[in-house]
Amino acid sequence: MARTLINVPPKAKRGQIIEIKTLISHVMETGYRRDETGAPIPRDIINLFVCSYNGTEIFRADLHQAIAANPFITFFTVATETGTLEFRWTDDNGQVEKASARITVE
Amino acid sequence: MTATRPTRRQFVTTAAAGASASLFPRPLLAQGSQPRIVVVGGGFAGATAARFLKRADPRLDVTLVEPNPIFAACPFSNEVIAGLRDMRAQLFGYDRIAAAGVAVVHQAATAVDGRARSVTLGNGTKLGYERLILAPGSDLRFDALPGYDEGAAERMPHAWKAGDQTLLLRRQLEAMEDGGTVVMALPALPYRCPPASYERASLIAYYLKTRKPRSKLVVLDAKDTFSMQRLFENAWQELYPNLEWVPVSSGGNPTSVDAAAMTVSSDFDTYKAAVANIIPPQKAGRIAELAGTADRTGWCPVDPVTFESHLAPGIHVLGDAAIAGAVPKSAFAANAVAKICAAAVAKLVFGERPAPPKFVNTCYSLAAPDYGFSIVGVYHPVNGQWLEVEGAGGVSPADAPRMFRSQEAKFANGWFNAITSEIFG
Amino acid sequence: MVAAMQAYRGGQRPATVMDRIAKGFSDDEIKAIAAWFAAQR
């Protein structure tokens, strides 16, 4: 469905606050626009973004039409243990894009 | 002189408040002394203003303050970087401006006292003025992009002020081994002449294609859209498979540099550069800030008719340092608004009202030496703000034949020769 | 000059930038520009 970019520090100290950056290429069509024939262009946005850390959900965002194309979401979390961060973007058509990153916690 | 000053200041306040012309007190200068106008900065805006003040009214006593005896022009300096042009073609002296009756002082302006109406120079001299015109251009912000300070600029040139930096980037490209990656980092708006950054990308790609065919250019950009984008992108597609543009929505926003390691980082990646050209965020030249004309953005808001500062009466700000609605930060616009300001100031010092102005801006960009295109705007003040005249201006046609492009490249050269000879010739 | 500027504006005269520039000026303004140039001789 789309191209994703994620930036998670590969290594961190236990208890360290880490910044996580994500970007997905997506049109984020609002549903309010019309095409050249006057027909409404159907809404197609990413409406849900979820991040889990070793299976536990740590961040969730509901997205609405006011979010620009190619949503860039960045947030912070605490590095607790070595493992995998999983990212899920869901759009209006029910398509889900997934990405993941490993982190080693010392 | 001192006794008459309050009257003069009153006059300024009245003018700024937009009172009717009949209320304007006839200033003292009409009595024989010559009103002195000091212009700080001898670039496209300042040098034009000095010359055109003298032309508008030979009675004016005009002083141009500029530390450098030789001016290095930015337009076409991208051709110098790409090895297509000699640096000497960019250099201009102030002899003809002095010959036109302007007192040219090669000193830096270090302070402005708006109350006492005087400018302090690097050698300690104080110059009194009736009106002050500041045209200091833009300064590079060495606090904005982590890792990029003045020291880093010696390894990773910005080349966003023509001169040694232009030649440094040129030499680095020449010395680079074939196969090395060139990384450019571009800031968000506003900054000096944004289209020039895409022209530079094009001409560096041209140099690599012709001289270093195994090298490539990565352009990290804090923007997703830019002026003449379609024209540039068409040219890149046609000419430069070696150029990769990474906009902010593809993770291209430059976030830090490491000059020792020669790396440039974006939100999502780190690029190793053989040559790095970092164009950092910018602000109005330092003296504009010292004079109290810059606002929180670092730029100077001004009146559209007179270019008088909204923050410091009696001081006018021109060129890149000013923020005046839709007026672009280009050499062409700097030259045009300097003429408007000169005409206005020549009226204001004699208590007359300046005429409503209108001007044209044309910016040419080269995608290759014989491949040029342009953006045109016609500007007029509407409700205290510069706006583009609707229905006029625009960019070169996207579907024009190569002949049209080579003609525009030729006209770009003609424009440079015309503007520089008008100002410095 | 007035005729030339009007032709640029109307697109009858081929141009690269003058057509785009001329569209920003009214007949009166074009006349004023021409008068200014005439006075420079």
Side-chain angles (χ1 to χ4, degrees), chain B residues 226-276:
Chain B
F226 57 89
S227 162
M228 296 181 269
Q229 182 163 0
R230 192 158 161 219
L231 292 161
F232 275 111
E233 287 185 326
N234 285 349
W236 294 346
Q237 201 169 9
E238 185 185 338
L239 303 171
Y240 305 127
N242 57 350
L243 190 164
E244 184 193 356
W245 177 60
V246 190
V248 64
S249 65
S250 299
N253 184 35
T255 51
S256 68
V257 305
D258 183 336
M262 281 299 282
T263 56
V264 184
S265 296
S266 70
D267 280 320
F268 296 97
D269 227 330
T270 294
Y271 299 79
K272 173 89 180 127
V275 172

Side-chain angles (χ1 to χ4, degrees), chain B residues 323-337:
Chain B
I323 284 280
V327 178
K329 294 194 184 305
S330 71
F332 194 120
N335 170 259
V337 303

Side-chain angles (χ1 to χ4, degrees), chain A:
Chain A
M1 154 175 106
R3 194 175 48 88
T4 61
L5 292 168
I6 48 176
N7 185 349
V8 174
K11 277 184 190 172
K13 291 203 163 57
R14 192 174 306 276
Q16 188 186 333
I17 294 172
I18 54 169
E19 184 176 17
I20 294 167
K21 295 174 180 174
T22 72
L23 192 153
I24 185 165
S25 62
H26 195 278
V27 292
M28 297 296 280
E29 187 60 57
T30 61
Y32 298 138
R33 299 196 309 154
R34 289 173 184 276
D35 65 15
E36 56 275 16
T37 67
I41 303 173
R43 186 182 120 154
D44 178 17
I45 67 168
I46 302 275
N47 57 48
L48 178 65
F49 169 75
V50 176
C51 172
S52 18
Y53 189 170
N54 281 347
T56 308
E57 185 177 309
I58 57 161
F59 185 90
R60 164 183 289 256
D62 293 324
L63 285 75
H64 300 274
Q65 290 103 318
I67 307 289
N70 311 316
F72 175 37
I73 298 173
T74 162
F75 56 96
F76 295 86
T77 189
V78 176
T80 52
E81 56 189 10
T82 296
T84 306
L85 285 134
E86 286 186 330
F87 304 90
R88 266 188 6 252
W89 294 261
T90 308
D91 76 8
D92 283 342
N93 301 320
Q95 279 190 297
V96 177
E97 187 73 14
K98 289 180 188 165
S100 64
R102 291 283 299 171
I103 182 166
T104 306
V105 175
E106 291 154 346

Side-chain angles (χ1 to χ4, degrees), chain B residues 62-107:
Chain B
V62 182
T63 303
L64 177 62
V65 177
E66 163 58 50
N68 300 312
I70 300 291
F71 173 65
C74 276
F76 279 91
S77 65
N78 286 332
E79 286 212 332
V80 177
I81 290 167
L84 299 162
R85 187 177 174 91
D86 195 302
M87 187 67 192
R88 277 169 298 189
Q90 300 302 109
L91 305 179
F92 299 90
Y94 293 94
D95 297 354
R96 302 303 298 273
I97 293 175
V102 173
V104 181
V105 181
H106 291 303
Q107 286 288 326

